Amino acid sequence: MTERSIMKWYKDNLLSLVEKAIEQKKIKTPDLIYTADWLLAIAFRETWTLVSRYHDLTFENMKELIKGDYSNRPGDPDSYRGEKSYHGFGFWQIDTGSYPDFVKTGYWKDPFKCCCKAIDVLEEKRRYLSDKLVLTDPDAIHRSITAAYNCGQGNVVKAIRSKLGVDYYTHEKNYSAMVWKYRELYNLL
């Protein structure tokens, strides 16, 4: 599968759920800044390899398999009996270390609820960053929030204050850059 065909899969299967989640969240947060392309690009960045692996399954069967970021190393406290211990759940890879209660509910299997949780996580990052940083450029603010989704808001503050670049502590040091690339891909469909 190509990046374009995988992104089309996200659009075809998740767009209506994402739009519904944004609409619902705007009721309580009228100044919500997240857009469908942004949220779908995060989902794509987080889980495109899983979607490409399971693309022949129905959407209903696939959504329960979207787990990633696991460990199975001996001595790893998150791993037991040599089995995979997953850390990210759902299309937005909600982290079990940060949000164990959400993961335990099983709501991550519901893409709508998982997207709502991803918006909550992004909002948590936005509030923290707005208290710690003075950023006026909307793109810089949005990229910072996106990077924080991956590596945590404290690491983003540390990176910005050290002039290292917003993605410095993210996976492969390019998380928000890749999300922006995938937003462009989505908008070309």
Side-chain angles (χ1 to χ4, degrees):
M1 294 183 75
T2 65
E3 280 187 346
R4 182 178 174 81
S5 65
I6 296 169
M7 181 57 82
K8 184 172 179 346
W9 185 95
Y10 279 88
K11 183 177 182 180
D12 293 347
N13 288 283
L14 295 175
L15 178 59
S16 64
L17 300 167
V18 169
E19 289 172 336
K20 181 180 169 186
I22 291 169
E23 185 178 312
Q24 180 176 318
K25 290 295 183 176
K26 280 190 173 185
I27 293 169
K28 290 186 178 179
T29 311
D31 64 338
L32 198 73
I33 61 174
Y34 313 105
T35 57
D37 66 320
W38 191 351
L39 290 162
L40 286 170
I42 289 173
F44 184 97
R45 170 60 183 81
E46 291 289 339
T47 58
W48 73 268
T49 58
L50 294 170
V51 168
S52 68
R53 180 182 312 149
Y54 301 129
H55 75 277
D56 55 344
L57 298 177
T58 66
F59 179 67
E60 289 302 313
N61 289 333
M62 181 190 294
K63 63 188 182 182
E64 295 194 16
L65 299 173
I66 303 299
K67 299 183 277 187
D69 295 336
Y70 65 86
S71 61
N72 61 358
R73 298 179 307 270
D76 186 328
D78 293 323
S79 184
Y80 53 95
R81 297 185 308 275
E83 298 173 11
K84 290 180 181 177
S85 177
Y86 292 98
H87 304 289
F89 291 81
F91 288 103
W92 285 270
Q93 290 293 278
I94 304 302
D95 182 69
T96 191
S98 299
Y99 307 100
D101 292 340
F102 177 82
V103 172
K104 286 176 188 171
T105 65
Y107 289 158
W108 61 270
K109 296 175 187 177
D110 179 333
F112 170 73
K113 290 178 181 175
C114 192
C115 184
C116 287
K117 184 61 177 179
I119 293 170
D120 291 344
V121 171
L122 289 164
E123 273 297 282
E124 173 189 315
K125 310 303 180 190
R126 182 174 73 99
R127 285 189 305 274
Y128 181 92
L129 294 170
S130 68
D131 287 345
K132 301 290 183 190
L133 298 171
V134 178
L135 299 173
T136 56
D137 173 46
D139 189 60
I141 295 166
H142 298 174
R143 294 280 296 265
S144 297
I145 294 165
T146 303
Y149 188 87
N150 178 254
C151 71
Q153 53 272 40
N155 282 326
V156 170
V157 169
K158 185 168 51 171
I160 290 172
R161 288 184 177 161
S162 300
K163 299 185 183 346
L164 296 172
V166 70
D167 282 330
Y168 186 80
Y169 292 105
T170 67
H171 180 69
E172 297 183 355
K173 299 182 186 289
N174 67 358
Y175 189 84
S176 75
M178 293 306 293
V179 168
W180 258 235
K181 173 189 170 192
Y182 299 139
R183 288 180 80 177
E184 287 178 29
L185 176 65
Y186 171 84
N187 286 311
L188 291 172
L189 294 178

